[in-house]
Amino acid sequence: MSNMLDSISDVLLMGPGPSMVNDAVYKAMGTRLVGHMDFEFIELMNAVKEQLRTLCNTANEVTMPMSGTGSAGMETCCVNLIEPGDQVLILHNGVFSGRMMDVASRLGAEVDVLEFAWGTPVLPGKVKEKLTAKSYSIVGVIHAETSTGVCNPVEEIGELVKKNGALYLVDSVTGLGGIEVALDKWGVDAFYSGTQKCLSCPPGLSPVSFSEKALEKLRARKKKVPNWYLDMTLITQYWQGQNRVYHHTAPISMNYALYQALALILEEGPTAVFARHRAMHEMLVAGLEKMGFSMFVEKSCRLPMLNLVVCPDGVDEAALRKNLRVKHKIELGGGLGPLAGKVLRIGVMGETAREKYVQRLLDALKEETGRG
Ligand SMILES: *Cc1c(COP(=O)(O)O)cnc(C)c1O
């Protein structure tokens, strides 16, 4: 009998996620199941929480992976911490801050938007003006904006948000595991990430972390959290404490995978992992520029793990991506929103940030474009 899985290709994943997965993580996913209330699984849950606290540089007790992809983390933070009529400010410079605006407004928040051109970072000076003029309940920003390749100055913004008194919401779906994340130092109150970017795990879990200030806001809600599945007041009873209370069946195999993926990062050492991302980014950019490609984002605010690349004249980005996938088994991403058709998005995330992979892409590009 033929099985479709037998014909799935071994693709080099260099798009905006998912990224390459280490064999040890694939193996972890195949570990036999124990029950989701089993004491051995609870020990593993505790270990995952501790690993996440280490990588996020936080002492937050409520630090755990939500079931669902990165978007579930965005929903979790918003649905638990926003009440109708809340004043919310979103710092907007890409697709994902746009989604944050949508999610917040669906919850009845009064959403103010401070907009910056796509491909440029949020400017703290502008944020300061806005935060001096009005007091907010929550201020949201994207750390690593995957649609534009920009790194936003989350630490500087954090100082301004603190003075305003608002909760500080940070999306680091693409940042975590590739660049430093320091929740306590930055004053972050609500944080979420995802497994399939720099954590190099299949998609399926979304690590989140809530500060004490965020938990106070949660406890003081006038009404129940309007989404049962993502209600932190319920989920924490399963993820914390001596006696665990069933909420929903944890995706056990995904938690095995996340445990293994985090173990790999912590064994190599976060500083070394970030340096590897930086070095592979530099190797990629040097090779691309030699072939006449140019970078969309200015050097000072470029993300190392997600590169927006403009093709040289005469090179069609869609055709190039197709040939790379079909002839070379390499996946790259295309542009999102207003950048569709204008740029390539090249990920060097997690396990993908290896010399052999970057070299393989550069060789394939040389062959396809006849340049360099
Ligand atoms: C990928 C991504 C998300 C959404 O994650 P999914 O896993 O696709 O749900 C959210 N924010 C940013 C910045 C992302 O890059």
Side-chain angles (χ1 to χ4, degrees):
M1 277 253 278
S2 81
N3 181 324
M4 280 194 71
L5 294 174
D6 295 335
S7 59
I8 289 204
S9 300
D10 185 3
V11 174
L12 170 53
L13 299 167
M14 298 197 84
S19 54
M20 295 300 278
V21 173
N22 191 292
D23 283 343
V25 173
Y26 282 130
K27 183 161 173 275
M29 293 186 80
T31 303
R32 59 187 54 250
L33 298 183
V34 290
H36 68 105
M37 302 294 285
D38 190 284
F39 66 93
E40 290 182 8
F41 188 65
I42 289 168
E43 277 172 24
L44 185 107
M45 292 161 74
N46 291 345
V48 169
K49 289 192 294 180
E50 203 47 51
Q51 290 171 315
L52 286 173
R53 280 188 206 107
T54 304
L55 190 58
C56 295
N57 288 293
T58 183
N60 287 343
E61 180 64 26
V62 176
T63 302
M64 61 184 65
M66 298 298 288
S67 307
T69 63
S71 307
M74 185 187 283
E75 293 267 10
T76 299
C77 292
C78 290
V79 86
N80 281 278
L81 301 176
I82 293 175
E83 289 177 277
D86 277 358
Q87 302 295 318
V88 172
L89 175 66
I90 305 294
L91 309 175
H92 180 38
N93 60 346
V95 165
F96 292 101
S97 47
R99 282 194 188 172
M100 218 183 236
M101 285 151 50
D102 186 10
V103 174
S105 61
R106 284 171 194 236
L107 293 164
E110 310 263 343
V111 182
D112 282 357
V113 178
L114 190 55
E115 202 163 346
F116 300 88
W118 287 38
T120 73
V122 169
L123 300 175
K126 298 274 183 202
V127 178
K128 188 173 179 181
E129 275 172 30
K130 200 85 182 166
L131 292 181
T132 314
K134 180 168 166 183
S135 108
Y136 286 96
S137 165
I138 297 194
V139 177
V141 70
I142 311 295
H143 180 203
E145 185 39 90
T146 321
S147 63
T148 66
V150 165
C151 186
N152 281 317
V154 281
E155 181 166 13
E156 274 177 271
I157 298 166
E159 283 166 29
L160 304 169
V161 175
K162 192 175 204 170
K163 286 191 195 119
N164 183 274
L167 292 176
Y168 188 27
L169 166 62
V170 175
D171 168 323
S172 194
V173 175
T174 286
L176 188 66
I179 48 180
E180 190 196 31
V181 167
L183 299 187
D184 293 358
K185 189 169 88 182
W186 298 346
V188 176
D189 295 298
F191 169 85
Y192 62 93
S193 187
T195 42
Q196 83 274 26
K197 312 254 167 115
C198 292
L199 299 181
S200 267
C201 212
L205 291 176
S206 172
V208 302
S209 185
F210 279 23
S211 74
E212 191 47 44
K213 191 172 154 189
L215 294 174
E216 275 166 27
K217 164 103 183 168
L218 177 60
R219 286 187 208 109
R221 287 186 71 95
K222 290 182 203 72
K223 285 195 177 146
K224 277 187 182 178
V225 174
N227 178 311
W228 181 86
Y229 196 74
L230 301 174
D231 184 342
M232 287 300 261
T233 65
L234 303 175
I235 291 165
T236 47
Q237 295 179 50
Y238 173 58
W239 273 88
Q240 289 178 184
Q242 277 311 107
N243 296 305
R244 304 295 172 103
V245 181
Y246 164 63
H247 178 253
H248 65 272
T249 309
I252 297 164
S253 307
M254 275 311 303
N255 278 282
Y256 290 166
L258 179 58
Y259 169 79
Q260 184 59 66
L262 289 167
L264 290 173
I265 291 172
L266 297 175
E267 273 162 35
E268 185 178 347
T271 313
V273 172
F274 305 155
R276 175 161 56 77
H277 279 83
R278 173 66 50 195
M280 290 306 100
H281 161 76
E282 283 166 5
M283 177 181 168
L284 176 73
V285 173
L288 287 170
E289 287 181 340
K290 227 172 115 190
M291 282 181 259
F293 290 87
S294 56
M295 300 302 289
F296 180 71
V297 174
E298 215 173 277
K299 200 169 186 174
S300 59
C301 56
R302 266 178 216 161
L303 288 169
M305 73 286 280
L306 201 282
N307 299 273
L308 263 76
V309 176
V310 182
C311 291
D313 283 341
V315 174
D316 178 71
E317 74 86 23
L320 176 60
R321 270 191 298 126
K322 179 150 189 249
N323 286 336
L324 286 171
R325 173 60 184 87
V326 174
K327 285 162 60 184
H328 302 269
K329 294 198 166 127
I330 300 175
E331 175 181 85
L332 300 187
L336 278 186
L339 297 175
K342 300 205 171 102
V343 292
L344 299 167
R345 287 189 303 152
I346 305 180
V348 279
M349 298 181 176
E351 281 300 312
T352 307
R354 304 269 176 206
E355 203 173 317
K356 60 181 173 184
Y357 296 142
V358 175
Q359 193 57 55
R360 189 171 138 197
L361 172 64
L362 291 173
D363 291 344
L365 284 172
K366 231 174 257 177
E367 194 183 316
E368 286 304 316
T369 63
R371 289 164 171 264

